[in-house]
Each structure stands twice: as C-alpha cells, then as structure tokens.
Amino acid sequence: MTTNLTRNVKLITDEFALLAVTAALQAAKAQGVAITVTVYNALMVMIVLVHSDGATPHSVETAKRKAQTSASTRRPSGWMNEELAIALPMASGNLLTNVGGGFPIKVNGIVVGALGVAGGTVDQDRAIAIAALRAIGADAVE
C-alpha cells in the first residue's frame, strides 16, 4: 500500500508581498493615515513588515497579530465572539487578535498569505487592507 507522505502548499512570494505592502501604504497615504503593514505567508512566517513614518509604536505588534490571525484562521480578523476573543489570544500566546484589519490573501480560492494593517481606526485599517487586496488582484474579500 502506497501512502502519500507529502503535500504541496502554495505560498505568497516576496515580490507579491511587497506589492501588497506598497498598495497598502498608498491607500493609507491617500487617507492621511500612518500605518504599520505586515504580510505573512500561509504558514504564519512573516515575509514583510513596514512601519511608515509617523505610525504609532504599538501598531507594529497589532499589525503582526492581525496578519497572524488571518493566516492561521484563514478569515479576516475581528470575527471572534466574546468568549473566544479572550480565550484564543491567551491560548495562542497572544498571537491571535479579534481586532479588525487583518485579511487572508487568496489567489484562485487558495490562501497564500495574510495582510495586517494597523495605525488608523479599525474601519480605516480594514478599508486600507481591502484596497490593497483589490490593487494586487487578490480574490475579493468575503
């Protein structure tokens, strides 16, 4: 009996990650918001982090957590109910967050990475991330 012991995983490239970050920075600049933006691959490995001029220091960790949450759960951050919003961050060593602004990056229905934006309001962070995903041609956000 032959058993398949390997699998193929599609991951975002560094070039595609840089395009996503550039698109997010442009969207943020258009809104007058200083952000931190991160891109992780689908295995939760950070590919790019950019802290724009004027962004708050805490936005670094927040952007990372938003992207990690989306890479891990394959859905936008901010979806957790009250009980999970406390339990999952605690259980994950604070890698996950319920703060909106993180989105999986999907290409042809496959999650290849995740984008996290922090620095504005939650609504601004979400809008900036969605604009970046549109600009790079990722699948539409659900």
Side-chain angles (χ1 to χ4, degrees):
M1 174 165 93
T2 304
T3 304
N4 189 0
L5 301 176
T6 64
R7 62 184 170 139
N8 293 325
V9 178
K10 294 198 181 270
L11 302 174
I12 193 167
T13 64
D14 57 351
E15 183 178 359
F16 196 32
L18 288 169
L19 290 173
V21 167
T22 300
L25 291 170
Q26 289 172 345
K29 189 173 185 176
Q31 289 194 33
V33 178
I35 63 165
T36 298
V37 57
T38 59
V39 174
Y40 281 69
N41 69 22
L43 300 176
M44 288 183 59
V45 174
M46 186 190 303
I47 306 301
V48 181
L49 181 147
V50 175
H51 181 73
S52 66
D53 296 340
T56 58
H58 68 275
S59 66
V60 172
E61 288 304 317
T62 307
K64 288 167 50 178
R65 301 301 179 245
K66 291 176 180 186
Q68 289 168 329
T69 299
S70 292
S72 174
T73 65
R74 308 292 200 250
R75 50 203 287 198
S77 61
W79 60 268
M80 298 174 203
N81 63 35
E82 273 186 47
E83 185 177 312
L84 289 178
I86 295 170
L88 284 180
M90 288 178 64
S92 68
N94 235 7
L95 291 178
L96 304 180
T97 184
N98 197 39
V99 180
F103 290 89
I105 301 171
K106 292 183 182 180
V107 177
N108 298 322
I110 298 170
V111 176
V112 297
L115 175 73
V117 174
T121 66
V122 170
D123 288 340
Q124 288 172 321
D125 292 348
R126 284 183 180 134
I128 291 164
I130 290 168
L133 294 172
R134 284 186 185 135
I136 64 172
D139 292 356
V141 175
E142 300 169 3

